[in-house]
Amino acid sequence: MKAVVVNPPNAGVEVRDVPSEPPSQGKVLIRTRLNGLCGTDRGIVSGKLTFSRPPLGYNYLILGHETLGEVVEGNGRLRKGDLVVPVVRRGCGSCLNCNLGRQDFCETGNFTEIGIRGAHGTMREEFLDEERYLVKVPNSLGELGVLLEPLSNVVKALNEVEYVQRRMWWRCGDSTYSCMTAAVLGSGPIGLLFSLALKTMGFNVIVANRRPPSEVESEIVEGIDAKFVNTSEKVDIRPDLLVDTSGHPSAFIPVLPKMKKNGALILFGTTGNESYGMTAEDVTTLVENNILIVGSVNASKSDFEAGVNFLLNWKAKYANLLEKLITKRVKVEEAPDVLTRKLPGEIKTVIEWK
Ligand code: BGC
Ligand code: ZN
């Protein structure tokens, strides 16, 4: 069958035939409908993501961790025709967090991630997976299900903040977040999904980038009643919650002194490549203001399930605004091209399998 194949840690990508997996008892057979592309995929293709590696015994890796699939042969609770999204990370098998289904908090680092490290991904015509790794998506969500994997990471990070912020009373007088501002640095798919989720939680949301918004970005930001700010101009952001999706320390460090007391900073982006230091004064600010910093990666199956509810809610509330996040659909033959460059005006590019 056709697959998008890489050879980490070497750069490069090709579409070629790979052998089908032998049928395995108890596994679910899934036909791939859509794959989303993200910075992680492009990092692997460019050879810059050094932790990427093929599965044991293979000299290649099938790419793909953002998936919407359709069950071909049911098993257990999954029926033929059901839409599913596989979780990305598979536990190390030895630590407590992995054994309790929280492989996103693996303690040993010996986990695998489909399409990223040590396990084949889903950029192929079909794949087999265990039911426990599959999240069922209501058919009414349709293609929007392809947004679930990136969204799951966002849901996890926000859960963590809400959990740790219980260190005090971190709400407004009316018990909501209506008096609080969340600033999201970066307006890519992750930045916009954070903005949508924060809006739903009740925050006032600012989406920031170092340039003016694209047309689609404006439509989405206005559509959800958030505000776009161009940080290359003079702006005064004073957030209670700061979310960095850029991976650029020069984007979030200058905002730290402006953060509200008892606030939180989520570090999510990893693709920056600059060296930009923190001063002792910044450290004092963080200490004196009780600022929480949380780095967050990956997500548990429960975060995917919570993400389904967000998607259903947004589909109902914002009509076709969500579809605008998918800015381009390509055939698998075009994958090598779109994996080696960021497209103009891109939010989410997806590969369509027919
Ligand atoms: C994926 C995560 C993964 C991370 C690091 C992201 O693109 O969405 O599931 O843990 O890359 O490999
Ligand atoms: Zn991704």
Side-chain angles (χ1 to χ4, degrees), residues 38 40 51 65 88-89 113 116-117 149 153 297-298:
C38 82
T40 304
F51 56 66
H65 64 275
V88 176
R89 196 177 278 193
E113 287 182 333
I116 301 176
R117 42 187 139 188
E149 192 284 330
N153 295 270
V297 69
N298 200 253

Side-chain angles (χ1 to χ4, degrees), residues 279-290:
T279 63
E281 214 174 305
D282 293 326
V283 175
T284 308
T285 308
L286 293 173
V287 174
E288 287 297 318
N289 293 316
N290 286 310

Side-chain angles (χ1 to χ4, degrees), residues 131-143:
E131 187 187 318
R132 64 179 166 139
Y133 294 131
L134 296 167
V135 181
K136 191 173 167 212
V137 171
N139 280 51
S140 64
L141 267 186
E143 306 207 318

Side-chain angles (χ1 to χ4, degrees), residues 77-91:
R77 286 181 295 117
L78 292 172
R79 303 260 161 78
K80 183 175 161 58
D82 281 349
L83 294 180
V84 289
V85 173
V87 304
V88 176
R89 196 177 278 193
R90 313 301 164 96

Side-chain angles (χ1 to χ4, degrees), residues 168-225:
M168 81 202 113
W169 188 249
W170 195 61
R171 290 275 177 159
C172 310
D174 60 358
S175 84
T176 73
Y177 291 119
S178 62
C179 65
M180 293 202 190
T181 297
V184 180
L185 308 178
S187 51
I190 291 290
L192 294 174
L193 290 171
F194 262 112
S195 305
L196 274 150
L198 287 162
K199 231 16 240 190
T200 306
M201 289 165 75
F203 284 90
N204 300 295
V205 175
I206 294 173
V207 186
N209 210 323
R210 290 172 170 166
R211 51 160 177 80
S214 69
E215 209 174 299
V216 192
E217 285 168 341
S218 297
E219 272 180 80
I220 294 172
V221 171
E222 280 163 30
I224 65 171
D225 196 23

